[in-house]
Amino acid sequence: MRLGLMGADASEEAEIQAVHRYLLRTPARMIGVWLPDGVGDRRPQNLPGTWDQYPNWRLPVADARGRPVTLEQLTESPRLRALIDALRH
């Protein structure tokens, strides 16, 4: 909040955008967007030390409700577009 990147009552989506805006202020020459953040997927990805207990490498990108997101839905996602717009400004 001290940097003015988000308000006190920020949503999870606003917090994710704020983290990316912060990264833009660092000396990094390249930053990435984690697609699950862009569509609201909250499931843990790639848990270390597991292979048969949790399907780490087989999880499709899903929305906030856990429904798989197709490539077409990904490109049309308002949440992902808002995140990309936050990076452009």
Side-chain angles (χ1 to χ4, degrees):
M1 286 191 330
R2 293 184 309 196
L3 298 175
L5 298 173
M6 67 179 188
D9 58 345
S11 66
E12 176 185 295
E13 185 177 349
E15 289 174 355
I16 290 169
Q17 290 177 16
V19 167
H20 284 81
R21 282 194 297 275
Y22 175 77
L23 291 172
L24 290 173
R25 293 181 175 194
T26 70
R29 298 182 129 211
M30 179 171 49
I31 64 169
V33 172
W34 183 241
L35 288 180
D37 282 344
V39 294
D41 191 351
R42 299 190 72 193
R43 297 172 301 164
Q45 305 282 323
N46 303 329
L47 295 174
T50 62
W51 57 276
D52 65 345
Q53 303 89 346
Y54 191 75
N56 287 318
W57 303 101
R58 297 177 290 174
L59 289 176
V61 174
D63 63 15
R65 295 183 186 140
R67 297 176 301 196
V69 175
T70 65
L71 182 58
E72 291 79 15
Q73 292 168 325
L74 184 64
T75 61
E76 297 170 359
S77 168
R79 180 177 171 137
L80 182 57
R81 286 180 183 226
L83 178 55
I84 292 170
D85 286 343
L87 293 173
R88 286 187 178 144
H89 301 291

